[in-house]
Amino acid sequence: MVLIRYWLIILFLFTGFGVTAQNDLNNDSLKTKIQALLADAKKNFRVNNKTGEALAYKVYESEKNNPACLVCYIDVHNLLALFKMESESYNEASDFLTTGLKLAIDNNQTALENKIKGNLGLLLFRKGEYQKCIITTLELLPQLTGTGKANALGNIAASFNYLKQYDLSIKYQQEALTIFKENNYAPGIATGYNLLGSTYTKLKKPNQAIPYLTASYKIKKESGDTLGMANTLINLGENSYDLNNYTNAYKYFNEAEVLYKAIKNKEGLSKVYTNLGVMAAKQKKISAAKDYELKAVTLAKQIKDNYVLNEVYANLSKTYKEVDQLDSALIAKDKAMAAKDSMIDLTVQQQIAEMQTKYETLKKEKQIEEQKFSIEKRNYIIAATAAFILLAGFVAWAFFNRFRLKKKNELQQKLNEQQQKATIDILTAEEKERKRIASDLHDGVGQLMTAAWLNLQAIDVQHITTNEETSQLLAKTIHLVDESCKEVRAVSHNMMPNALLKKGLVNAVREFINQINTKSTKINLQTEDLNKALPTHVETVLYRVIQESVNNVIKHAAATSLDISINQDDTGIDLMIEDNGKGFVLEEAVQKDGIGLQNIKSRIDFLNGTVNWSSAPGKGTLVAIHIPA
């Protein structure tokens, strides 16, 4: 009995071992099959989306409950989301990306996490939420490398293209193309060429666009990318239209229509009909234009494409006007504006500018770090060489050490110059954004407020009533609108004064002072020998410093007199701002709220200048600034 029991135990152990080994073998085999299936699904993307999506679903269903390949299971969420975007099923795409992102985070799959985040940005772009796409992708960029980074840069470039910020679109797309070419990634190169061609077309440079569009179409056709071919045909059609070659334009648009219908792409079809409507209107075929435009509206509404809705409603408004349907024209114009407003948010636009500045700063810092690393590496080599040379004699070592120090100083000087340039770029971007917002306030909101004020004035003149309460209410409303107009003009001027742009620093300061209510504070401005033209960035910094200092005096100093002196000689520029106010203790002011003082110091440091405050309670304040020549 003992012998039988012994053999049974041995048999059980070997049987168990065999089952375990067989299970491991089966798991490895299944994992290999899943990986091959996923690879086939990816190969069919944009070549045969129906087949590719079916293969991806096989992977998804097989791995859903007990994944043999966890990475494949996470990645297939990302792939299915891309297929859903191709069929414009954006809600399903969002669900797959959200689930995939959670799986990637929970399982510490950083590469897949960044990949899915990048496609969340792409989803925002496909849904027409261009500003959100830019912000989301700019936040992600520092974490990306290779073609993943290039794809993200391409999404940013395409978003800027749709927002009609073409210089930024070209900048980011060229950066993306550089990476795509380094990695020899044909789909990315083709998409980049297409976007550059589209941008040059919109910039009214059709001849410059043709080589890019032609090269893009060739690559997409060779790879069997139906959607990519159709997108490029649209841009070729728009380019031919700009060149007044209507025959080619119709040919390209009709070919694009066939391809979009084949893959059931409503977004592309809406753009085809928008362009055909424009061409029909140009040729005075008003009825045909209206039909095309209404088709485009129907499709754009179905996919909630505000970009197309803005464009086609604007065209439809002109078409209605041609046939004297003025009410319909006005409604279409309002809808165009509503679609545009839903795409562009000024607050978000400011956030985008800040994110761009942050990204550019990080990029420059990375370049500086790489150069520092290169310097350190070179220093190690030099040090090792120097140690070896010491064997040959002290004279050779001394000579080499002198050479090393010289090179180090030269490289350090280059680093300092690059840091200086980075600072100038940041300030330039800030002033450019101020100028843009000021222009928008003046030309947009300001004009609307003025129009409202004129209309109310007309009502005031025409409205004859014995109701005193109504008359008073109308008068108050007119006054409020008038004050609002003044406030918009004041804000616009403070952000970017016309005098600074047109006449220089002194006139800008004088105009700023004249606008201040000086009943309680008398302001004196004295200038001397300001004959030499100053660089724009110097004038801008000095103006902002004067503006900050004067505002501080008016708000806090309770001064009756304020003297501003600007002098220029061979040594540089001297600026003095002195008041007879209540003064302050500098150390306490810095501790309590030193942001304003620190802003002034930072701006003057940027110009390699010096700033000193002299103040005491009851004795006023003197700000002395020197900017070297």
Side-chain angles (χ1 to χ4, degrees), residues 373-514:
F373 176 76
S374 177
I375 293 169
E376 290 174 1
K377 185 177 178 181
R378 181 177 296 183
N379 286 343
Y380 285 129
I381 296 171
I382 291 172
T385 306
F388 176 77
I389 293 175
L390 276 172
L391 298 173
F394 175 79
V395 176
W397 174 85
F399 175 83
F400 184 79
N401 190 53
R402 182 181 177 186
F403 172 79
R404 182 177 66 84
L405 291 173
K406 180 181 177 182
K407 284 294 180 182
K408 185 175 180 180
N409 289 334
E410 289 175 356
L411 287 169
Q412 187 61 48
Q413 184 178 354
K414 288 181 180 178
L415 285 175
N416 293 337
E417 290 172 357
Q418 287 177 344
Q419 289 172 336
Q420 179 84 347
K421 185 177 182 301
T423 308
I424 291 174
D425 289 343
I426 291 170
L427 285 175
T428 302
E430 179 184 328
E431 291 301 323
K432 185 177 179 182
E433 186 63 13
R434 283 174 176 268
K435 181 178 177 182
R436 187 192 65 74
I437 294 174
S439 175
D440 287 349
L441 283 172
H442 182 272
D443 298 340
V445 178
Q447 298 301 324
L448 291 172
M449 293 295 293
T450 301
W453 181 80
L454 290 171
N455 288 338
L456 286 169
Q457 289 281 20
I459 293 172
D460 190 28
V461 172
Q462 297 171 10
H463 189 68
I464 301 172
T465 177
T466 58
N467 190 330
E468 185 176 349
E469 183 178 351
T470 302
S471 298
Q472 289 178 354
L473 180 59
L474 184 58
K476 286 180 180 178
T477 304
I478 292 172
H479 177 70
L480 286 172
V481 173
D482 186 35
E483 288 300 310
S484 299
C485 290
K486 292 176 181 176
E487 184 67 19
V488 168
R489 284 195 294 271
V491 171
S492 174
H493 183 273
N494 282 338
M495 293 195 77
M496 185 52 64
N498 289 327
L500 183 60
L501 295 172
K502 297 178 181 178
K503 303 176 185 177
L505 175 64
V506 174
N507 289 314
V509 173
R510 187 171 286 115
E511 185 174 303
F512 169 63
I513 291 171
N514 291 337

Side-chain angles (χ1 to χ4, degrees), residues 136-164:
T136 300
T137 312
L138 279 173
E139 287 178 341
L140 183 64
L141 268 183
Q143 305 167 42
L144 300 178
T145 57
T147 56
K149 182 176 182 179
N151 281 324
L153 288 164
N155 291 340
I156 294 172
S159 296
F160 275 125
N161 180 284
Y162 277 95
L163 292 171
K164 300 183 179 179

